[in-house]
Amino acid sequence: MIEAQGLTKRYGRKAAVSGLDFRVEPGRVTGFLGPNGAGKSTTMRMILGLDLPTSGTVTVNGRRYQGTVWPLHQIGALLDARAVHPGRSAYNHLHSLAAANGIPRSRVEAVLDQVGLTPVARKRAGGFSLGMAQRLGIAGALLGDPGILLFDEPVNGLDPDGILWIRTLMRSLAAEGRTVLVSSHLMSEMALTADHLLVIGQGRLLADTPLNELIARDAANRVEVRAVDHHRLADDLRTLGGDITLKPDGTLLVTGLDSASVGELAAARGHVLHQLRDVTSSLEDAYFRLTENSVVYRTPVPA
Ligand SMILES: Nc1ncnc2c1ncn2[C@@H]1O[C@H](COP(=O)(O)OP(=O)(O)OP(=O)(O)O)[C@@H](O)[C@H]1O
């Protein structure tokens, strides 16, 4: 279990993370989402004790960081896959980590197997592709068989097989009762991997919610309706409190009313409808709506 209270990190006048309160519970995969620069890596570094909070606290299994790096059997982390000495083999890299942490050599072989790097274990890590480096970083995180795992963008650079492997790994680590916190910008992948989400924007918590609830809340009370006289229907729906967007093809997107209310109003006022349907939502839709005011680095949309 990881618990943050009022967690704040400032760099000079800039607040990278502001007053975060959250708990990351064991037994589920918690996705950590937010636009570029939102503060995800900074938060992970503070959890690991690599950065100290300016104010507030973060505890790991109820204990505060005591000034030495958390031992690998408590927390394993993948932060930067390229942070490996390029001249060292995968085996030697893991072996020196194991030796420094009092972890038996047999674990090195076990995690190399687990991540599929046994055939290249004696090759220089500097020659690894990004996907192989990610696997080596994950092997390092698993080495101490820790109860808490942090992964910063673990699918970065992985091919579809690797992405499926990561998803299965995260889910099985959580099913074993471990605490798993994973950041990603890949919404479709997060939708398949995470049970719970923490979403931050500009250093502030925007959502701490089960994934399904976030998507369901986003879809709730959004209806698409096509009518012969869409202008008159739009006026009638507004009187019921609906927020209406008229699409170029004449379809009305109604927010704030469910399909039953729209259908009953249409029948009562004599509207001829050609279509009435609930709008479904995806994690990507929900995420965009949640973070639309928190994006710092926005890319212009081509005209
Ligand atoms: N060492 C540092 N010195 C100064 N500013 C920093 C430092 N580390 C992070 N920041 C700033 O803090 C903010 C949060 O950065 P952080 O890397 O935590 O975001 P992130 O959510 O991980 O972003 P990304 O998705 O792009 O990896 C950014 O504005 C960043 O520029």
Side-chain angles (χ1 to χ4, degrees), residues 4-22 32 37-58 65 200-205:
Q5 284 184 337
L7 188 63
T8 299
K9 179 72 186 180
R10 303 188 70 85
Y11 291 108
R13 290 173 58 195
K14 180 172 173 57
V17 169
S18 292
L20 290 187
D21 294 315
F22 62 79
F32 198 19
K40 301 179 296 296
S41 301
T42 303
T43 303
M44 285 190 164
R45 292 178 60 79
M46 287 192 283
I47 294 171
L48 287 164
L50 297 171
D51 259 341
L52 287 178
T54 310
S55 59
T57 59
V58 61
Y65 171 70
I200 62 173
Q202 298 188 18
R204 294 184 184 278
L205 194 66

Side-chain angles (χ1 to χ4, degrees), residues 112-296:
L112 280 166
D113 246 8
Q114 197 175 351
V115 304
L117 287 182
T118 303
V120 293
R122 302 287 173 179
K123 296 236 157 59
R124 286 175 53 249
F128 280 8
S129 68
L130 180 55
M132 288 159 82
Q134 290 288 96
R135 285 172 186 260
L136 181 56
I138 290 164
L142 297 172
L143 194 60
D145 200 13
I148 300 183
L149 287 142
L150 307 188
F151 298 104
D152 201 0
E153 294 281 342
V155 295
N156 192 8
L158 293 183
D159 59 19
D161 272 349
I163 292 175
L164 174 61
W165 170 73
I166 279 280
R167 186 193 312 154
T168 312
L169 176 71
M170 308 269 141
R171 301 231 34 93
S172 63
L173 291 168
E176 288 164 5
R178 296 176 212 255
T179 302
V180 181
L181 181 65
V182 49
S183 79
S184 180
H185 291 296
L186 291 182
M187 294 301 131
S188 53
E189 193 43 42
M190 270 289 118
L192 295 171
T193 309
D195 305 290
H196 196 88
L197 294 177
L198 293 175
V199 187
I200 62 173
Q202 298 188 18
R204 294 184 184 278
L205 194 66
L206 300 176
D208 177 352
T209 173
L211 177 119
N212 292 343
E213 280 180 23
L214 180 70
I215 296 173
R217 262 202 314 274
D218 188 64
N221 293 341
R222 289 199 305 131
V223 175
E224 259 186 20
V225 57
R226 285 167 62 83
V228 170
D229 187 347
H230 53 253
H231 289 299
R232 188 166 67 86
L233 179 61
D235 289 343
D236 284 347
L237 288 170
R238 281 193 193 97
T239 64
L240 261 194
D243 190 21
I244 314 295
T245 308
L246 175 62
K247 293 186 166 184
D249 66 354
T251 305
L252 302 178
L253 176 64
V254 185
T255 310
L257 297 175
D258 61 13
S259 49
S261 325
V262 174
E264 283 161 21
L265 174 130
R269 306 267 172 97
H271 288 281
V272 177
L273 301 189
H274 285 179
Q275 187 191 59
L276 174 61
R277 67 174 190 97
D278 288 326
V279 175
T280 54
S281 191
S282 64
L283 175 58
E284 189 174 67
D285 295 331
Y287 172 83
F288 280 138
R289 262 183 279 283
L290 196 61
T291 58
E292 63 191 350
N293 297 320
S294 306
V295 177
V296 179

